[in-house]
Amino acid sequence: MAFIRKRRQERELYSKERFSLLLLNLEEYYFEQHRASHIINKGCRDERKIRGSLKICSKSIIFEPDENLQPIIKIPLRDCISIKAPEDNEASNPFLRETSGGISVVCNQVFLIKERNVIAPYKTVRGKTEHLFQLDVAGKLGDVVQTLHQLYRASCLDKMGDQAAMITAILQSRLARTSFDKNRFQSISETLRMECKAEMVTPLVTNPGHVCVTDANLYFQPLNGYPKPVVQITLQNVRRIYKRRHGLMPLGLEVFCTENDICSDIYLKFYNCQDRDELYYLIATYIENHITEHTAESYMLQWQRGHISNYQYLLHLNNLADRSCNDLSQYPVFPWIIADYSSAELDLTKPETFRDLSKPIGALNKERLERLLTRYEEMAEPKFMYGSHYSSPGYVLFYLVRVAPEYMLCLQNGKFDHADRMFNSVAETWKNCLDGATDFKELIPEFYENDSSFLVNSLKLDLGKRQGGKTVEDVELPPWASGPDDFLRKSQEALESQYVSEHLHEWIDLVFGCKQKGSKAVMACNVFHPLTYEGGVDLNSIMDPNEKVALLTQILEFGQTPKQLFTTPHPQRIMPKSSSRTSSRSVSISESPVSPNEESFEDLTEESITLAWNNISKLKQDEQYKIHKEAITGIAVTCNGSSVFTTSQDSTLKMFSKESKTLQRSVSFSNMALSSCIILPGDTTVISSSWDNNIYFYSIAFGRRQDILMGHDDAVSKICWRDGCLYSASWDSTVKVWKCVPGETLSNKRNCFELLAELEHDVSVNTIDLTASNTILASGTKEGTISVWDVTTATVLHQLPCHSGTVFDAAFSHDSRHLLSAGEDCCFKVIDVQTGMLISSVTADEPQRCFRWDGNTVLSGSQSGELLTWDLLSGKVTERIKGHAGNT
């Protein structure tokens, strides 16, 4: 549980200190601290000194007593009447010579925090009071008072923008006068690569300081030395690094030293894009040799094929969409899954148990939606359907207040929300999301993790009493949950259930995908305020500082829509064979291309998979024979494995006997190169395609040419045979489908070929492949385009510019869900057949001329003659096998 785990780590590190940056206001900075005494009842018999530390912040003065029983005192600068250090020669001076270094603060309002070290709403003391603080180091008095006067003047400015500008100027002046302390380097041999100013981001607060990158480490040194003098990250441990959008600006950078944790090791916000991009480049350059960068498409492929869970996939998508546990305005968002919070038993086999994942929360209640749409139609531009977002800092802390009360107090100016508006009951919260006029919130990852502490008031917080007098304690759970842990366990089961696996892509379309914005969002009733979307406002174009601050504050508190990851419909997850599938032969773009009788790779036994592919890396060369003068273009082996037929650019078809290890036949049909060959069922006929525009049928039994099909106007590049049909691809920009009866070819009659379909392209076609059901065909052109066709209707389903240069090979996975292609640009590309989405791209060191794959593992032949095995999900070569001296 990212949020809670991070808080616990911080608590363990700094458990002795009650002060935290959460005591500051939003957008406030902590500048410095001084050891001091708070003098109570000066000059009276009961005068006493309370030892502690005085914190100078941009909008307040905070005194933290050493004694836990004493409250922390927070004095807002805007409420101050005077701040001064009385001169020794003043008659009214309340300080004696031994109390030099004193500061008098007169104010109208003070907040008392954590009295007796209890986390509770702040106590407000109103009325004119004077507070006397005596610094341990009297020599610092002048500088401290001068700083406080500067900050006091800033707090007295009428407009928020002017206040922010003056405080920023003070901060930048302090940063300019300091630099990173090089004595903090781990080793004297480290070489400095870059140093700049930045802020470390944690939930609700930022901490300014200096960033330093060497050839071995990334450092951050806070200007105030809090919570520790230096944060250090070893570059060798870095596993992921992401550019982030922070405060609607591309200024963030988040660094992870783990592969799968959503909680980062450091989140930095820079003052300009150039510094952010330079640091990103330095770290990315360091780690690029041993870290594979994952994209949304690569995670999609893993999810589709069942290698990662629904939960893991959603975490990865959140991470890629700028969602971070360090930024509560962009906290990871998860869907409501369960719709039944009243039954005694949770039945995950019933569809009505689940929420409709194809609709946003605001569209689940038809009557409420009708009212919202009526208002939307009447609204002037910019129009939006929902006046609040599905994720915001307030919603995150609504769920987590029992484990993160200090964050709630920080967000709500020292107060908890009203008891009746707290997260009191899962059922009540769900009902309000369905019926409430302004409540459209989704869930957070914690609902699908293993730590149930956010559902229990283990800190014994006083969260108030509801109407009727009931005290707010633990969250009320549905009847089907025996306790908090059971609730989370069943929520996890629901998230990973078959129903959710079949429909989760619909919710992804709404939040991360094609229905997030634009016309499809309008059709899906999924339109939020324009300012919540990436690019919805350009802060740099707003000159008025007051307008800019107000706008930024509004959007940060309102919440932000995730970065859009997909612009085409998200593919459905591949489900086991037992799930329902469309059996119609006529396949449209919205239907599954899998034949109902087809064996899916996912349905093979582990033993079968092991026999077929897990030992592929053990391949080694047995024997080698040179039988052609030029490059081999096609290989076909008889069913019994006794004979091998090959075609070559030397224009010959040759037959080699594996048993006698001799060349038995050599046939030439013309003086042009042959491009491919296949053996028809029964091992009686070999078909060869040629650059002379023809396709030749050769009888193995009779040892002669049986027939010739003159079907193209340019070279025939590839042929396939399926169920009595011949499929031919040509440089004349067509793919043709022929009906053939091989037995009739013995009579040498040429009228046995019937043209069933002609698939026209714009450029030369270099390769083709068909699904096992023979209903979907893929073609790859010389210009790098992949086209997916419905053969039964001769219509193109998808057309994607996948490669730069010729497509060398393309093949469907065993389950026909995915199409893999290899091109002249050294890339492998994976396409989801149903949606046409490019879901993975892997770059090799050189072009891969041909391949075979099982949906996960690829065996490819490289241009240099090497055989390579690839783990497609990780994008890495797992084995290199010495093959040929030239092109494979």
Side-chain angles (χ1 to χ4, degrees):
M1 185 180 292
F3 188 96
I4 298 172
R5 183 169 61 250
K6 190 173 186 67
R7 288 197 71 255
R8 286 175 178 165
Q9 290 171 352
E10 291 173 354
R11 196 181 302 150
E12 289 170 5
L13 285 172
Y14 318 114
S15 57
K16 294 181 180 179
E17 191 167 356
R18 291 190 295 159
F19 170 81
S20 83
L21 297 180
L22 293 170
L23 300 184
L24 278 58
N25 294 348
L26 296 177
E27 304 299 316
E28 183 176 8
Y29 296 111
Y30 165 37
F31 285 142
E32 61 191 52
Q33 76 164 349
H34 303 275
R35 291 295 297 169
S37 298
H38 183 205
I39 303 176
I40 308 288
N41 299 325
K42 176 65 181 175
C44 299
R45 181 179 298 178
D46 58 348
E47 175 185 330
R48 60 195 179 99
K49 294 181 179 180
I50 299 176
R51 296 285 296 152
S53 60
L54 190 68
K55 322 279 187 181
I56 310 301
C57 306
S58 60
K59 297 180 182 180
S60 61
I61 303 169
I62 296 176
F63 181 76
E64 179 192 16
D66 292 341
E67 288 185 41
N68 285 347
L69 295 178
Q70 296 293 328
I72 295 173
I73 299 172
K74 178 178 179 180
I75 306 173
L77 288 170
R78 69 175 182 273
D79 293 324
C80 289
I81 299 172
S82 69
I83 303 172
K84 61 183 180 179
E87 298 295 331
D88 289 344
N89 58 3
E90 289 185 4
S92 60
N93 179 17
F95 295 93
L96 301 176
R97 186 170 301 276
E98 65 270 17
T99 60
S100 61
I103 301 174
S104 168
V105 179
V106 180
C107 59
N108 287 321
Q109 183 173 246
V110 141
F111 296 107
L112 304 181
I113 305 169
K114 289 187 178 178
E115 189 171 7
R116 298 185 179 276
N117 207 27
V118 174
I119 300 172
Y122 303 170
K123 290 183 179 179
T124 305
V125 178
R126 293 184 174 88
K128 185 177 179 180
T129 56
E130 182 179 16
H131 298 268
L132 303 175
F133 302 102
Q134 183 180 2
L135 301 183
D136 284 9
V137 182
K140 293 183 178 180
L141 179 64
D143 290 339
V144 171
V145 172
Q146 182 180 4
T147 298
L148 288 174
H149 283 168
Q150 278 186 315
L151 296 171
Y152 172 68
R153 287 196 296 272
S155 68
C156 291
L157 295 174
D158 292 334
K159 296 181 178 180
M160 294 298 295
D162 296 337
Q163 290 184 26
M166 186 170 178
I167 290 172
T168 299
I170 295 171
L171 170 62
Q172 292 301 321
S173 174
R174 283 173 164 261
L175 288 171
R177 296 196 305 268
T178 58
S179 62
F180 185 87
D181 181 4
K182 308 302 188 299
N183 292 322
R184 294 288 182 178
F185 283 177
Q186 292 289 302
S187 169
I188 58 173
S189 63
E190 287 185 61
T191 303
L192 178 66
R193 299 296 190 203
M194 176 189 177
E195 181 180 350
C196 67
K197 298 174 288 185
E199 297 177 13
M200 187 169 73
V201 179
T202 53
L204 298 182
V205 292
T206 60
N207 202 10
H210 295 275
V211 169
C212 190
V213 184
T214 70
D215 55 350
N217 293 289
L218 166 67
Y219 298 96
F220 176 76
Q221 186 172 34
L223 184 65
N224 50 34
Y226 180 87
K228 57 182 180 179
V230 170
V231 177
Q232 178 253 330
I233 293 175
T234 304
L235 294 181
Q236 193 172 1
N237 295 335
V238 174
R239 289 296 172 267
R240 294 176 289 146
I241 179 169
Y242 298 99
K243 294 179 180 180
R244 293 293 192 216
R245 173 181 52 139
H246 186 273
L248 302 182
M249 300 286 285
L251 300 174
L253 189 73
E254 195 161 21
V255 180
F256 295 78
C257 293
T258 56
E259 291 288 356
N260 298 310
D261 198 340
I262 200 170
C263 193
S264 66
D265 289 82
I266 192 168
Y267 188 139
L268 297 170
K269 171 197 169 186
F270 296 81
Y271 296 110
N272 59 70
C273 294
Q274 293 75 17
D275 285 346
R276 192 275 303 268
D277 292 345
E278 183 180 351
L279 190 139
Y280 175 88
Y281 174 78
L282 286 172
I283 299 179
T285 301
Y286 182 91
I287 67 176
E288 66 180 354
N289 293 328
H290 63 280
I291 300 297
T292 301
E293 182 177 355
H294 288 287
T295 62
E297 290 77 17
S298 67
Y299 284 125
M300 181 203 295
L301 181 62
Q302 294 184 54
W303 173 74
Q304 266 201 296
R305 305 200 73 83
H307 290 266
I308 58 176
S309 65
N310 293 337
Y311 168 81
Q312 290 172 317
Y313 186 44
L314 289 176
L315 274 188
H316 289 311
L317 293 185
N318 271 284
N319 190 37
L320 292 170
D322 281 344
R323 313 302 284 189
S324 167
C325 66
N326 283 306
D327 185 353
L328 296 191
S329 67
Q330 299 187 92
Y331 200 75
V333 56
F334 269 59
W336 283 95
I337 293 296
I338 299 168
D340 178 6
Y341 294 100
S342 59
S343 299
E345 298 292 333
L346 186 66
D347 189 348
L348 298 181
T349 65
K350 294 163 55 178
E352 54 268 29
T353 298
F354 299 93
R355 165 258 183 107
D356 185 348
L357 289 165
S358 68
K359 297 177 181 179
I361 289 292
L364 293 177
N365 183 322
K366 186 177 180 180
E367 292 180 2
R368 179 179 64 176
L369 179 62
E370 288 175 355
R371 295 194 299 270
L372 292 169
L373 291 179
T374 299
R375 187 190 67 173
Y376 173 77
E377 294 299 330
E378 297 171 349
M379 190 181 294
E381 295 292 344
K383 303 168 78 169
F384 54 90
M385 296 175 185
Y386 308 113
S388 63
H389 206 256
Y390 51 77
S391 176
S392 70
Y395 289 160
V396 173
L397 296 176
F398 168 84
Y399 292 124
L400 297 179
V401 63
R402 288 169 176 81
V403 290
E406 293 165 276
Y407 290 83
M408 177 66 83
L409 293 172
C410 175
L411 184 68
Q412 299 202 151
N413 300 314
K415 300 176 183 177
F416 290 132
D417 205 347
H418 190 279
D420 285 305
R421 291 195 295 267
M422 289 290 224
F423 181 31
N424 294 304
S425 161
V426 178
E428 284 182 14
T429 302
W430 169 245
K431 185 178 186 303
N432 201 54
C433 289
L434 288 181
D435 302 334
T438 60
D439 192 349
F440 314 108
K441 60 178 170 284
E442 293 279 8
L443 295 182
I444 55 176
E446 282 77 358
F447 278 81
Y448 303 103
E449 295 181 343
N450 298 318
D451 190 338
S452 62
S453 58
F454 74 100
L455 300 169
V456 182
N457 187 15
S458 57
L459 297 177
K460 304 301 179 185
L461 301 168
D462 183 2
L463 300 173
K465 292 184 178 181
R466 305 184 65 182
Q467 290 182 359
K470 186 177 181 181
T471 302
V472 176
E473 290 293 345
D474 299 345
V475 177
E476 184 180 326
L477 302 174
W480 46 257
S482 61
D485 291 340
D486 186 55
F487 173 76
L488 292 191
R489 182 179 61 80
K490 288 176 178 172
S491 296
Q492 293 168 12
E493 291 174 359
L495 179 62
E496 304 302 334
S497 66
Q498 179 165 322
Y499 178 90
V500 175
S501 294
E502 290 174 346
H503 294 277
L504 186 58
H505 65 287
E506 297 171 333
W507 186 83
I508 292 172
D509 280 339
L510 295 170
V511 177
F512 302 105
C514 63
K515 296 180 181 178
Q516 185 198 84
K517 52 188 175 182
S519 59
K520 290 184 178 179
V522 176
M523 294 174 62
C525 301
N526 192 40
V527 182
F528 295 85
H529 195 286
L531 294 181
T532 68
Y533 295 94
E534 184 178 28
V537 61
D538 181 8
L539 288 179
N540 290 326
S541 67
I542 300 175
M543 297 296 104
D544 185 345
N546 300 298
E547 181 184 350
K548 182 180 291 188
V549 168
L551 189 64
L552 185 58
T553 302
Q554 175 188 353
I555 194 59
L556 292 181
E557 293 181 0
F558 187 85
Q560 297 177 62
T561 300
K563 178 180 179 180
Q564 188 175 26
L565 300 178
F566 310 107
T567 55
T568 56
H570 193 287
Q572 189 176 13
R573 194 173 198 185
I574 299 172
M575 297 305 296
K577 194 173 181 181
S578 58
S579 62
S580 60
R581 288 176 174 165
T582 303
S583 59
S584 171
R585 180 173 174 82
S586 179
V587 181
S588 70
I589 193 169
S590 62
E591 293 176 317
S592 168
V594 182
S595 167
N597 298 318
E598 178 188 337
E599 183 179 43
S600 166
F601 172 72
E602 278 71 18
D603 298 327
L604 295 176
T605 64
E606 191 65 35
E607 182 181 4
S608 300
I609 297 173
T610 302
L611 291 173
W613 280 96
N614 282 9
N615 292 321
I616 201 76
S617 61
K618 297 180 180 179
L619 280 175
K620 60 181 181 179
Q621 182 175 297
D622 186 21
E623 294 176 279
Q624 179 175 313
Y625 302 94
K626 182 174 176 61
I627 59 176
H628 287 279
K629 296 179 181 179
E630 294 187 35
I632 295 174
T633 57
I635 300 175
V637 182
T638 56
C639 290
N640 59 15
S642 62
S643 299
V644 179
F645 286 85
T646 56
T647 52
S648 169
Q649 289 184 5
D650 64 9
S651 78
T652 62
L653 167 70
K654 298 195 176 186
M655 174 181 170
F656 184 84
S657 172
K658 287 180 63 181
E659 295 175 349
S660 63
K661 297 181 175 24
T662 58
L663 179 65
Q664 295 190 330
R665 298 181 191 178
S666 181
V667 183
S668 182
F669 301 117
S670 73
N671 60 356
M672 300 286 284
L674 299 180
S675 56
S676 65
C677 65
I678 53 177
I679 300 176
L680 297 190
D683 290 347
T684 59
T685 304
V686 178
I687 308 178
S688 300
S689 56
S690 174
W691 286 7
D692 67 3
N693 311 351
N694 298 325
I695 300 170
Y696 296 95
F697 290 74
Y698 176 80
S699 171
I700 299 175
F702 291 91
R704 59 182 174 83
R705 189 184 76 188
Q706 291 180 338
D707 209 339
I708 180 172
L709 172 59
M710 295 180 286
H712 289 278
D713 298 323
D714 204 338
V716 182
S717 53
K718 184 74 177 287
I719 53 176
C720 295
W721 178 273
R722 296 287 177 82
D723 292 345
C725 290
L726 177 68
Y727 301 79
S728 58
S730 171
W731 294 354
D732 66 5
S733 305
T734 67
V735 173
K736 295 183 178 181
V737 185
W738 310 86
K739 181 66 177 177
C740 304
V741 182
E744 295 181 2
T745 60
L746 295 176
S747 63
N748 287 328
K749 292 181 180 180
R750 296 187 176 182
N751 58 359
C752 58
F753 305 107
E754 177 188 356
L755 182 61
L756 299 180
E758 183 171 342
L759 312 179
E760 295 187 357
H761 298 68
D762 295 329
V763 294
S764 300
V765 183
N766 197 60
T767 186
I768 55 173
D769 191 46
L770 284 115
T771 59
S773 60
N774 306 326
T775 56
I776 303 293
L777 179 142
S779 58
T781 70
K782 283 196 170 184
E783 291 189 357
T785 300
I786 292 288
S787 298
V788 180
W789 300 80
D790 181 346
V791 179
T792 60
T793 60
T795 56
V796 66
L797 301 178
H798 312 291
Q799 199 166 53
L800 295 91
C802 283
H803 297 275
S804 55
T806 301
V807 180
F808 288 142
D809 202 0
F812 290 96
S813 57
H814 292 306
D815 58 15
S816 303
R817 298 277 182 158
H818 296 129
L819 175 71
L820 177 66
S821 61
E824 189 178 5
D825 56 3
C826 306
C827 290
F828 282 117
K829 299 291 180 76
V830 181
I831 297 169
D832 179 80
V833 176
Q834 184 179 8
T835 64
M837 181 183 288
L838 179 65
I839 60 175
S840 183
S841 180
V842 177
T843 303
D845 295 332
E846 59 178 327
Q848 303 299 300
R849 303 286 302 191
C850 56
F851 65 84
R852 289 292 181 269
W853 76 310
D854 69 345
N856 300 301
T857 304
V858 179
L859 174 66
S860 66
S862 68
Q863 188 142 297
S864 63
E866 231 179 359
L867 292 176
L868 306 178
T869 59
W870 299 76
D871 178 355
L872 200 59
L873 298 178
S874 67
K876 295 180 180 178
V877 175
T878 57
E879 195 72 31
R880 293 180 179 270
I881 306 167
K882 186 177 180 180
H884 302 268
N887 292 1
T888 306

